């Protein structure tokens, strides 16, 4: 995927459209909630912004990933959560307000942290052979593609709340369609490298997903958060914005090989959260039914 109208214009516009949809689902209360109950949000951001990249780095070293896969996994870990985490939080009957707040705040923060993590990862795993990467240019690009559309969406939601709520679901559907389309395109374009390293990239992707979900749950337990908030953190830390990672690899770094990890992760990232949803629907539900007669 060499530089073209698709990679330079259409792909960024598509992601900006997705981020606009995220903004349409946000309200001012999602941000002011930070001041009322800061602890769960701070713990969640600690997991997403700091501990998740460290976990990804550990996986890269432990599995001895090649440079392309290692950088790709680090790009993925440096990205914020996506809108699908909010969907899973709703399915798991977790703290949806906390989920939305973490998604929004991690998006804002990662505009500044992601370029530095990517720069460090490229230098660490690729070294002098790396293509030129400008942290400033990447930060500005993320502002235009993620932050600005989200802010526009928030403004639209504030003035046209009813309309925004109706169309938000279509943006989520487009997000899923867009990511699946990109994954299929990556598989076709980079099929040789994918076949050569499928075992490694699959193991790395599923390890990041499962371990990050467990890390979110453990963080909540260590910080004495509620079970509901623990479920939320497990989902939020365990689901990253794979579409953004793919765009960064292809449109910012012009290295489609770096996007393979994000492409595989885009398919495996539902495993950990799905297990949580299954546990909530079956095991917690049965436990509640058993306890109800005793409480009467």
């Amino acid at each position: 995927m060499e530089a073209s109208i698709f990679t330079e214009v259409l792909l960024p516009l598509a992601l900006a459209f997705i981020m606009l949809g995220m903004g349409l689902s946000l309200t001012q209360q999602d941000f002011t909630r930070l001041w009322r109950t800061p602890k769960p949000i701070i713990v969640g951001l600690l997991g997403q912004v700091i501990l998740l990249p460290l976990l990804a780095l550990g996986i890269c070293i432990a599995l001895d990933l090649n440079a392309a896969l290692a950088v790709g996994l680090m790009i993925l870990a440096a990205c914020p959560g996506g809108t699908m985490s909010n969907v899973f939080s709703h399915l798991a009957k977790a703290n949806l307000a906390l989920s939305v707040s973490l998604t929004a705040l991690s998006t804002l923060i990662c505009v500044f942290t992601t370029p530095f993590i990517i720069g460090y990862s490229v230098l660490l795993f690729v070294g002098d052979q790396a293509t030129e990467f400008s942290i400033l240019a990447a930060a500005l690009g993320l502002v235009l593609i993620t932050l600005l559309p989200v802010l526009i969406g928030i403004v639209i939601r504030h003035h046209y709340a009813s309309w925004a709520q109706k169309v938000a679901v279509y943006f989520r559907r487009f997000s899923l369609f867009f990511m699946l389309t990109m994954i299929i395109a990556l598989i076709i374009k980079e099929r040789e490298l994918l076949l050569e390293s499928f075992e490694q990239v699959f193991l790395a992707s599923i390890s990041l997903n499962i371990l990050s979900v467990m890390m979110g749950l453990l963080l909540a337990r260590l910080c004495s958060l509620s079970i509901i908030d623990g479920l939320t953190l497990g989902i939020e830390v365990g689901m990253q914005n794979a579409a953004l990672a793919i765009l960064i690899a292809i449109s910012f770094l012009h290295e489609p090989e770096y996007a393979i990890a994000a492409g595989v992760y885009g398919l495996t990232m539902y495993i950990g959260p799905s297990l949580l949803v299954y546990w909530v629907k079956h095991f917690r539900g049965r436990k509640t039914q058993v306890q109800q007669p005793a409480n009467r």
Side-chain angles (χ1 to χ4, degrees):
M1 293 185 185
E2 299 178 355
S4 62
I5 293 178
F6 176 74
T7 61
E8 299 296 322
V9 179
L10 296 181
L11 189 56
L13 282 178
L15 186 63
F17 184 75
I18 293 172
M19 301 310 291
L20 174 65
M22 179 187 293
L24 291 175
S25 66
L26 300 174
T27 65
Q28 292 178 342
Q29 287 73 24
D30 294 321
F31 295 93
T32 57
R33 190 177 294 112
L34 172 64
W35 307 111
R36 297 198 301 269
T37 55
K39 185 177 178 180
I41 295 179
I42 293 173
V43 174
L45 290 176
L46 171 67
Q48 282 186 304
V49 179
I50 299 177
L51 298 182
L52 183 61
L54 291 176
L55 174 62
L57 180 60
I59 292 174
C60 292
I61 296 173
L63 298 180
D64 192 24
L65 298 182
N66 64 51
L69 296 182
V71 173
L73 198 70
M74 292 302 296
I75 292 173
L76 180 66
C79 288
T83 55
M84 290 306 297
S85 63
N86 306 145
V87 175
F88 269 80
S89 291
H90 175 71
L91 292 175
K93 296 182 180 179
N95 188 338
L96 185 58
L98 175 60
S99 174
V100 172
S101 298
L102 282 172
T103 300
L105 290 171
S106 65
T107 299
L108 298 180
I109 294 173
C110 286
V111 165
F112 306 101
T113 59
T114 297
F116 287 98
I117 295 174
I118 294 173
Y120 169 78
S121 303
V122 171
L123 182 63
L124 176 64
F125 293 109
V126 184
D128 297 334
Q129 299 179 350
T131 55
E132 185 177 352
F133 175 72
S134 170
I135 291 178
L136 178 60
L140 291 175
L142 288 174
V143 168
L144 293 175
I145 293 173
T146 62
L147 184 56
L148 187 59
V150 168
L151 293 177
I152 293 174
I154 293 173
V155 172
I156 294 176
R157 171 65 182 265
H158 179 71
H159 293 285
Y160 305 98
S162 179
W163 179 83
Q165 289 176 321
K166 291 179 181 179
V167 301
V169 62
Y170 298 106
F171 282 87
R172 287 195 293 269
R173 291 174 182 173
F174 175 78
S175 176
L176 181 60
F177 170 78
F178 171 76
M179 187 174 67
L180 292 176
T181 301
M182 287 305 306
I183 291 172
I184 293 172
L186 276 172
I187 291 174
I188 296 174
K189 175 65 178 178
E190 303 297 329
R191 57 187 178 277
E192 293 183 4
L193 179 58
L194 181 60
L195 288 174
E196 291 175 4
S197 56
F198 178 78
E199 184 177 349
Q200 265 197 328
V201 68
F202 179 80
L203 182 59
S205 298
I206 198 169
S207 296
L208 183 64
N209 179 241
I210 298 296
L211 291 177
S212 59
V213 169
M214 294 174 62
M215 183 172 66
L217 295 172
L218 181 60
L219 275 174
R221 183 69 179 270
L222 292 175
C223 296
S224 302
L225 299 180
S226 68
I227 294 177
I228 297 298
D229 287 348
L231 288 173
T232 310
L233 263 58
I235 293 171
E236 281 296 317
V237 179
M239 298 190 73
Q240 301 310 108
N241 194 334
L244 178 58
I246 292 173
L247 178 133
I248 290 174
I250 295 176
S251 298
F252 286 13
L253 299 176
H254 306 291
E255 295 285 353
E257 296 89 352
Y258 295 169
I260 291 177
V264 175
Y265 180 86
L267 298 175
T268 62
M269 72 176 180
Y270 301 102
I271 296 176
S274 294
L275 292 175
L276 282 181
V277 173
Y278 179 82
W279 177 75
V280 169
K281 295 290 187 181
H282 293 270
F283 293 96
R284 283 191 67 210
R286 290 177 183 176
K287 184 177 179 181
T288 302
Q289 290 176 1
V290 171
Q291 290 177 343
Q292 279 179 348
N295 294 332
R296 290 176 182 174

